[in-house]
Amino acid sequence: MSLQYPGTAPNQMANLRDVGAPGSALGRWVRAGVLWRSDAPLPGDADPSLTGTLDGATWPPRVVIDLRDPKELHDEPHPLAGPGVDVVALPLTGSLAPAEQLRMRQGRTSLAELYVQLLGTAHSWLPVLVRTAARAEGPTLVHCAAGKDRTGVSVALLLALAGVPRPEILADYLATGDALPALRPRLGFHGEDLAAIEHLLDVSIPAMTAVLDRIGPDPVAFHRDQGVEQDDIERWQDRLRP
């Protein structure tokens, strides 16, 4: 029997939210309608602007940053690709060394190890992430498969760059925990494949804390060290801050 998150239909995105939605933990730090995060959109998903998930928003978003590996797409076009939507492929796990990718697929990598490894390759993807989000003309959706790990690290970096405090960044990451029951059937894992990654299908305070510790007390300096341009830093800060 498939687990269903209360109020979530099988054809509805399970982990979609506006990071700066009014009344949210980040509402005082982040402008609404700028940064959205989610699990992977699937063909046939309901329009979230009509289901109450994104009240008052226009769907689809203007820019979509897809953090998945090309193999996860199965040679299918992105479900949101079309006129007026700029889909940017930015595969994060592809930046990891082959040995680390194998460890992850075999379930031998912890969440903390995975997150820190992604930060270790940030120079290859973070400049594109910030540049794309900073120069978007409309809402930017960042997603991977579950909207938890690759998305969690990416959104944490974007929030830290805009000056959002650590507790609020952690709270936004942990909010995915409420969506986990509905996420599992959407990820398509079964049997041995599911057992191999079961330890990764959760949120982890130590893992995200490790990310924030690695970013350090000066997120701007961290981003500069990874090759992010100053103009993109300032553009993003202007976009996201209320």
Side-chain angles (χ1 to χ4, degrees):
M1 180 178 66
S2 297
L3 295 172
Q4 297 297 333
Y5 184 54
T8 303
N11 63 336
Q12 184 174 322
M13 296 170 70
N15 195 21
L16 170 64
R17 59 185 179 274
D18 183 341
V19 176
S24 69
L26 275 70
R28 100 177 245 208
W29 300 97
V30 175
R31 183 178 296 158
V34 174
L35 178 60
W36 298 347
R37 58 179 294 170
S38 76
D39 52 318
L42 300 178
D45 278 344
D47 183 337
S49 66
L50 303 178
T51 63
T53 305
L54 294 174
D55 288 331
T58 299
W59 187 260
R62 178 65 183 84
V63 174
V64 177
I65 302 176
D66 186 351
L67 306 176
R68 294 175 296 172
D69 188 274
K71 294 179 181 178
E72 297 175 73
L73 303 180
H74 306 293
D75 296 322
E76 296 290 336
H78 194 286
L80 301 182
V85 179
D86 185 11
V87 178
V88 178
L90 188 61
L92 262 58
T93 52
S95 66
L96 299 178
E100 298 302 334
Q101 294 186 47
L102 179 61
R103 278 172 50 83
M104 184 179 64
R105 288 195 297 269
Q106 293 176 339
R108 295 188 291 120
T109 298
S110 69
L111 283 179
E113 289 173 328
L114 173 60
Y115 292 5
V116 171
Q117 288 166 5
L118 290 175
L119 284 183
T121 64
H123 62 279
S124 67
W125 54 266
L126 186 55
V128 178
L129 175 73
V130 176
R131 183 184 312 119
T132 302
R135 303 187 181 200
E137 297 181 357
T140 297
L141 173 67
V142 180
H143 80 82
C144 50
K148 179 176 75 73
D149 303 320
R150 291 166 288 189
T151 299
V153 171
S154 299
V155 169
L157 285 161
L158 290 172
L159 293 176
L161 182 58
V164 177
R166 284 175 60 124
E168 280 70 26
I169 296 175
L170 185 59
D172 175 68
Y173 165 76
L174 293 176
T176 290
D178 295 334
L180 289 176
L183 274 172
R184 289 172 181 261
R186 287 178 61 89
L187 294 176
F189 291 107
H190 305 282
E192 293 181 0
D193 290 338
L194 178 60
I197 64 165
E198 185 69 33
H199 68 293
L200 299 177
L201 298 180
D202 203 352
V203 291
S204 167
I205 292 176
M208 184 50 63
T209 299
V211 169
L212 298 175
D213 287 345
R214 184 64 64 93
I215 296 172
D218 190 346
V220 171
F222 177 89
H223 282 70
R224 283 182 187 146
D225 289 345
Q226 306 305 317
V228 179
E229 296 182 3
Q230 182 64 29
D231 181 58
D232 291 332
I233 291 174
E234 294 175 3
R235 282 173 178 251
W236 175 242
Q237 292 173 337
D238 289 342
R239 279 205 73 209
L240 194 64
R241 290 171 175 170

